[in-house]
Amino acid sequence: MSTARLLPGAPVAESVLADVRERVARLRERGVQPSLATILVGDDDASAGYIRIKQKQAGELGFASPHRHLSGDVTQADLLKVIAEFNDDKDVHGVLIQYPIPAHLDYDAALQTLDPDKDVDGMHPLNMGRLAVGLPGPLPCTPAGIEALLAFHEIPVSGREVVILGRGATLGRPLAMLLAQKRPTANAAVTVVHTGVPDWQRYTQRADILIAAAGVPGIIQPEHVRAGAVVVGAGVRYEGRRLLPDVDESCAEVAGAITPRVGGVGPTTVAMLFRNAVTAAERATP
């Protein structure tokens, strides 16, 4: 029987987006409409669905949402041309390149041509460097969403042992940097461990806060969790449209608090995208 307290992401996202709406309203009073541009390459149904969700959210928040849909056989040069156009457009404050893109294209090379100040995903190498040294800049959305989720639900982080299972460039590594920074909602002792470590369970079993970010369905089982620990499921894979999380639902029998299988970190990620976008618009406005 589950005894763990649930940590849903929806109220966290609603709180973040309420703040975004107020900031958008203040900008529009000054004659500035924040803008989040999106680029979709190819016809992947899931990617197209994500773009529709973001465009719908943009409209509800008062953002302009220019969009470019490129064919799946587009050249790298043509993709870079579209990015350059958005870089040069002063009315565009944020740009999202929907990932993944077709295999013949170089996503990392495309990302590096994006104006770092318009990088709403927070994944440009310059923004990763800003994060590493504590300079202002757009933060990677999922790590920032996890920090916000823990803060919203009043989970103490400062001084506690956080173990992150997964070292990916989009989640594990930036999250470790974020939660180790000196802030009331961070300031943790952070250990990053990965599935290539034979006894990775030794680390997860001692965590006050365990964050699963491996992208391996069901890798975290109850025996990997210390009794009463906080468990955040951030890594997922999809089998068709079925979501397969890293954290087995039975972990709720051991954990003190846990994110739900659906509706945990996901909503906060989208909210942070728009927080980055409105911040970019504010910084670009004299």
PDB file of all heavy atoms in Angstrom, residues 236-254:
ATOM      1  N   VAL A 236      12.445   9.228 -18.679  1.00  0.00           N
ATOM      2  CA  VAL A 236      11.372   8.426 -19.280  1.00  0.00           C
ATOM      3  C   VAL A 236      11.800   7.969 -20.667  1.00  0.00           C
ATOM      4  O   VAL A 236      12.697   8.547 -21.289  1.00  0.00           O
ATOM      5  CB  VAL A 236      10.048   9.218 -19.413  1.00  0.00           C
ATOM      6  CG1 VAL A 236       9.497   9.610 -18.061  1.00  0.00           C
ATOM      7  CG2 VAL A 236      10.234  10.452 -20.295  1.00  0.00           C
ATOM      8  N   ARG A 237      11.134   6.929 -21.124  1.00  0.00           N
ATOM      9  CA  ARG A 237      11.179   6.532 -22.522  1.00  0.00           C
ATOM     10  C   ARG A 237       9.758   6.317 -22.991  1.00  0.00           C
ATOM     11  O   ARG A 237       8.843   6.163 -22.184  1.00  0.00           O
ATOM     12  CB  ARG A 237      11.986   5.239 -22.699  1.00  0.00           C
ATOM     13  CG  ARG A 237      13.485   5.440 -22.704  1.00  0.00           C
ATOM     14  CD  ARG A 237      14.207   4.193 -23.177  1.00  0.00           C
ATOM     15  NE  ARG A 237      15.646   4.355 -23.069  1.00  0.00           N
ATOM     16  CZ  ARG A 237      16.510   3.387 -23.293  1.00  0.00           C
ATOM     17  NH1 ARG A 237      16.085   2.182 -23.651  1.00  0.00           N
ATOM     18  NH2 ARG A 237      17.821   3.585 -23.182  1.00  0.00           N
ATOM     19  N   TYR A 238       9.573   6.330 -24.290  1.00  0.00           N
ATOM     20  CA  TYR A 238       8.246   6.090 -24.846  1.00  0.00           C
ATOM     21  C   TYR A 238       8.258   4.819 -25.682  1.00  0.00           C
ATOM     22  O   TYR A 238       9.194   4.565 -26.442  1.00  0.00           O
ATOM     23  CB  TYR A 238       7.793   7.273 -25.705  1.00  0.00           C
ATOM     24  CG  TYR A 238       7.353   8.459 -24.890  1.00  0.00           C
ATOM     25  CD1 TYR A 238       8.273   9.422 -24.484  1.00  0.00           C
ATOM     26  CD2 TYR A 238       6.026   8.608 -24.514  1.00  0.00           C
ATOM     27  CE1 TYR A 238       7.875  10.506 -23.722  1.00  0.00           C
ATOM     28  CE2 TYR A 238       5.615   9.691 -23.749  1.00  0.00           C
ATOM     29  CZ  TYR A 238       6.540  10.634 -23.362  1.00  0.00           C
ATOM     30  OH  TYR A 238       6.145  11.707 -22.607  1.00  0.00           O
ATOM     31  N   GLU A 239       7.215   4.017 -25.514  1.00  0.00           N
ATOM     32  CA  GLU A 239       6.986   2.856 -26.364  1.00  0.00           C
ATOM     33  C   GLU A 239       5.710   3.164 -27.126  1.00  0.00           C
ATOM     34  O   GLU A 239       4.599   2.994 -26.607  1.00  0.00           O
ATOM     35  CB  GLU A 239       6.816   1.609 -25.503  1.00  0.00           C
ATOM     36  CG  GLU A 239       6.777   0.313 -26.277  1.00  0.00           C
ATOM     37  CD  GLU A 239       6.691  -0.876 -25.335  1.00  0.00           C
ATOM     38  OE1 GLU A 239       5.557  -1.251 -24.954  1.00  0.00           O
ATOM     39  OE2 GLU A 239       7.757  -1.403 -24.964  1.00  0.00           O
ATOM     40  N   GLY A 240       5.878   3.690 -28.354  1.00  0.00           N
ATOM     41  CA  GLY A 240       4.734   4.259 -29.042  1.00  0.00           C
ATOM     42  C   GLY A 240       4.311   5.503 -28.299  1.00  0.00           C
ATOM     43  O   GLY A 240       5.106   6.418 -28.115  1.00  0.00           O
ATOM     44  N   ARG A 241       3.060   5.525 -27.824  1.00  0.00           N
ATOM     45  CA  ARG A 241       2.578   6.666 -27.039  1.00  0.00           C
ATOM     46  C   ARG A 241       2.599   6.370 -25.553  1.00  0.00           C
ATOM     47  O   ARG A 241       2.200   7.214 -24.742  1.00  0.00           O
ATOM     48  CB  ARG A 241       1.155   7.032 -27.462  1.00  0.00           C
ATOM     49  CG  ARG A 241       1.086   7.481 -28.912  1.00  0.00           C
ATOM     50  CD  ARG A 241      -0.198   8.173 -29.208  1.00  0.00           C
ATOM     51  NE  ARG A 241      -0.150   8.818 -30.510  1.00  0.00           N
ATOM     52  CZ  ARG A 241      -0.844   9.877 -30.828  1.00  0.00           C
ATOM     53  NH1 ARG A 241      -1.613  10.438 -29.939  1.00  0.00           N
ATOM     54  NH2 ARG A 241      -0.774  10.395 -32.043  1.00  0.00           N
ATOM     55  N   ARG A 242       3.048   5.192 -25.189  1.00  0.00           N
ATOM     56  CA  ARG A 242       3.060   4.795 -23.770  1.00  0.00           C
ATOM     57  C   ARG A 242       4.323   5.285 -23.096  1.00  0.00           C
ATOM     58  O   ARG A 242       5.432   5.027 -23.551  1.00  0.00           O
ATOM     59  CB  ARG A 242       2.955   3.273 -23.675  1.00  0.00           C
ATOM     60  CG  ARG A 242       2.805   2.774 -22.252  1.00  0.00           C
ATOM     61  CD  ARG A 242       2.383   1.320 -22.228  1.00  0.00           C
ATOM     62  NE  ARG A 242       2.463   0.799 -20.865  1.00  0.00           N
ATOM     63  CZ  ARG A 242       3.246  -0.174 -20.469  1.00  0.00           C
ATOM     64  NH1 ARG A 242       4.045  -0.764 -21.351  1.00  0.00           N
ATOM     65  NH2 ARG A 242       3.256  -0.580 -19.222  1.00  0.00           N
ATOM     66  N   LEU A 243       4.132   5.991 -21.985  1.00  0.00           N
ATOM     67  CA  LEU A 243       5.257   6.534 -21.225  1.00  0.00           C
ATOM     68  C   LEU A 243       5.781   5.477 -20.264  1.00  0.00           C
ATOM     69  O   LEU A 243       5.027   4.866 -19.513  1.00  0.00           O
ATOM     70  CB  LEU A 243       4.791   7.775 -20.457  1.00  0.00           C
ATOM     71  CG  LEU A 243       5.828   8.524 -19.621  1.00  0.00           C
ATOM     72  CD1 LEU A 243       5.533  10.015 -19.658  1.00  0.00           C
ATOM     73  CD2 LEU A 243       5.800   8.042 -18.170  1.00  0.00           C
ATOM     74  N   LEU A 244       7.108   5.270 -20.305  1.00  0.00           N
ATOM     75  CA  LEU A 244       7.755   4.277 -19.449  1.00  0.00           C
ATOM     76  C   LEU A 244       8.755   4.996 -18.543  1.00  0.00           C
ATOM     77  O   LEU A 244       9.850   5.356 -18.965  1.00  0.00           O
ATOM     78  CB  LEU A 244       8.472   3.228 -20.307  1.00  0.00           C
ATOM     79  CG  LEU A 244       7.591   2.470 -21.310  1.00  0.00           C
ATOM     80  CD1 LEU A 244       8.447   1.573 -22.190  1.00  0.00           C
ATOM     81  CD2 LEU A 244       6.522   1.661 -20.589  1.00  0.00           C
ATOM     82  N   PRO A 245       8.394   5.226 -17.281  1.00  0.00           N
ATOM     83  CA  PRO A 245       9.264   5.991 -16.378  1.00  0.00           C
ATOM     84  C   PRO A 245      10.384   5.155 -15.787  1.00  0.00           C
ATOM     85  O   PRO A 245      10.303   3.927 -15.714  1.00  0.00           O
ATOM     86  CB  PRO A 245       8.302   6.464 -15.288  1.00  0.00           C
ATOM     87  CG  PRO A 245       7.246   5.416 -15.256  1.00  0.00           C
ATOM     88  CD  PRO A 245       7.106   4.886 -16.657  1.00  0.00           C
ATOM     89  N   ASP A 246      11.429   5.842 -15.334  1.00  0.00           N
ATOM     90  CA  ASP A 246      12.555   5.187 -14.659  1.00  0.00           C
ATOM     91  C   ASP A 246      12.151   4.583 -13.323  1.00  0.00           C
ATOM     92  O   ASP A 246      12.728   3.585 -12.886  1.00  0.00           O
ATOM     93  CB  ASP A 246      13.675   6.206 -14.383  1.00  0.00           C
ATOM     94  CG  ASP A 246      14.510   6.527 -15.601  1.00  0.00           C
ATOM     95  OD1 ASP A 246      14.165   6.061 -16.700  1.00  0.00           O
ATOM     96  OD2 ASP A 246      15.511   7.259 -15.454  1.00  0.00           O
ATOM     97  N   VAL A 247      11.195   5.213 -12.647  1.00  0.00           N
ATOM     98  CA  VAL A 247      10.832   4.823 -11.283  1.00  0.00           C
ATOM     99  C   VAL A 247       9.611   3.915 -11.308  1.00  0.00           C
ATOM    100  O   VAL A 247       8.542   4.309 -11.783  1.00  0.00           O
ATOM    101  CB  VAL A 247      10.547   6.058 -10.412  1.00  0.00           C
ATOM    102  CG1 VAL A 247      10.111   5.646  -9.009  1.00  0.00           C
ATOM    103  CG2 VAL A 247      11.782   6.955 -10.338  1.00  0.00           C
ATOM    104  N   ASP A 248       9.763   2.704 -10.788  1.00  0.00           N
ATOM    105  CA  ASP A 248       8.628   1.792 -10.689  1.00  0.00           C
ATOM    106  C   ASP A 248       7.635   2.329  -9.661  1.00  0.00           C
ATOM    107  O   ASP A 248       8.019   2.866  -8.612  1.00  0.00           O
ATOM    108  CB  ASP A 248       9.107   0.406 -10.274  1.00  0.00           C
ATOM    109  CG  ASP A 248       8.013  -0.633 -10.396  1.00  0.00           C
ATOM    110  OD1 ASP A 248       7.869  -1.202 -11.493  1.00  0.00           O
ATOM    111  OD2 ASP A 248       7.296  -0.873  -9.402  1.00  0.00           O
ATOM    112  N   GLU A 249       6.352   2.190  -9.960  1.00  0.00           N
ATOM    113  CA  GLU A 249       5.324   2.754  -9.079  1.00  0.00           C
ATOM    114  C   GLU A 249       5.361   2.150  -7.680  1.00  0.00           C
ATOM    115  O   GLU A 249       4.925   2.784  -6.712  1.00  0.00           O
ATOM    116  CB  GLU A 249       3.943   2.556  -9.707  1.00  0.00           C
ATOM    117  CG  GLU A 249       3.723   3.432 -10.939  1.00  0.00           C
ATOM    118  CD  GLU A 249       2.340   3.245 -11.537  1.00  0.00           C
ATOM    119  OE1 GLU A 249       1.398   3.929 -11.063  1.00  0.00           O
ATOM    120  OE2 GLU A 249       2.206   2.437 -12.472  1.00  0.00           O
ATOM    121  N   SER A 250       5.884   0.941  -7.538  1.00  0.00           N
ATOM    122  CA  SER A 250       5.956   0.293  -6.224  1.00  0.00           C
ATOM    123  C   SER A 250       6.900   1.007  -5.270  1.00  0.00           C
ATOM    124  O   SER A 250       6.873   0.769  -4.059  1.00  0.00           O
ATOM    125  CB  SER A 250       6.369  -1.170  -6.372  1.00  0.00           C
ATOM    126  OG  SER A 250       7.655  -1.275  -6.958  1.00  0.00           O
ATOM    127  N   CYS A 251       7.736   1.927  -5.795  1.00  0.00           N
ATOM    128  CA  CYS A 251       8.644   2.690  -4.926  1.00  0.00           C
ATOM    129  C   CYS A 251       7.864   3.575  -3.956  1.00  0.00           C
ATOM    130  O   CYS A 251       8.404   3.991  -2.920  1.00  0.00           O
ATOM    131  CB  CYS A 251       9.600   3.532  -5.760  1.00  0.00           C
ATOM    132  SG  CYS A 251      10.813   2.560  -6.685  1.00  0.00           S
ATOM    133  N   ALA A 252       6.608   3.852  -4.271  1.00  0.00           N
ATOM    134  CA  ALA A 252       5.779   4.664  -3.378  1.00  0.00           C
ATOM    135  C   ALA A 252       5.540   3.967  -2.050  1.00  0.00           C
ATOM    136  O   ALA A 252       5.179   4.613  -1.055  1.00  0.00           O
ATOM    137  CB  ALA A 252       4.446   4.984  -4.047  1.00  0.00           C
ATOM    138  N   GLU A 253       5.768   2.656  -1.987  1.00  0.00           N
ATOM    139  CA  GLU A 253       5.590   1.911  -0.736  1.00  0.00           C
ATOM    140  C   GLU A 253       6.745   2.160   0.234  1.00  0.00           C
ATOM    141  O   GLU A 253       6.624   1.876   1.429  1.00  0.00           O
ATOM    142  CB  GLU A 253       5.481   0.415  -1.037  1.00  0.00           C
ATOM    143  CG  GLU A 253       4.301   0.058  -1.926  1.00  0.00           C
ATOM    144  CD  GLU A 253       4.370  -1.375  -2.439  1.00  0.00           C
ATOM    145  OE1 GLU A 253       5.244  -2.131  -1.958  1.00  0.00           O
ATOM    146  OE2 GLU A 253       3.567  -1.729  -3.319  1.00  0.00           O
ATOM    147  N   VAL A 254       7.861   2.686  -0.293  1.00  0.00           N
ATOM    148  CA  VAL A 254       9.060   2.895   0.523  1.00  0.00           C
ATOM    149  C   VAL A 254       9.353   4.379   0.719  1.00  0.00           C
ATOM    150  O   VAL A 254       9.771   4.810   1.802  1.00  0.00           O
ATOM    151  CB  VAL A 254      10.277   2.210  -0.147  1.00  0.00           C
ATOM    152  CG1 VAL A 254      11.541   2.437   0.673  1.00  0.00           C
ATOM    153  CG2 VAL A 254      10.017   0.730  -0.349  1.00  0.00           C
TER     154      VAL A 254
END
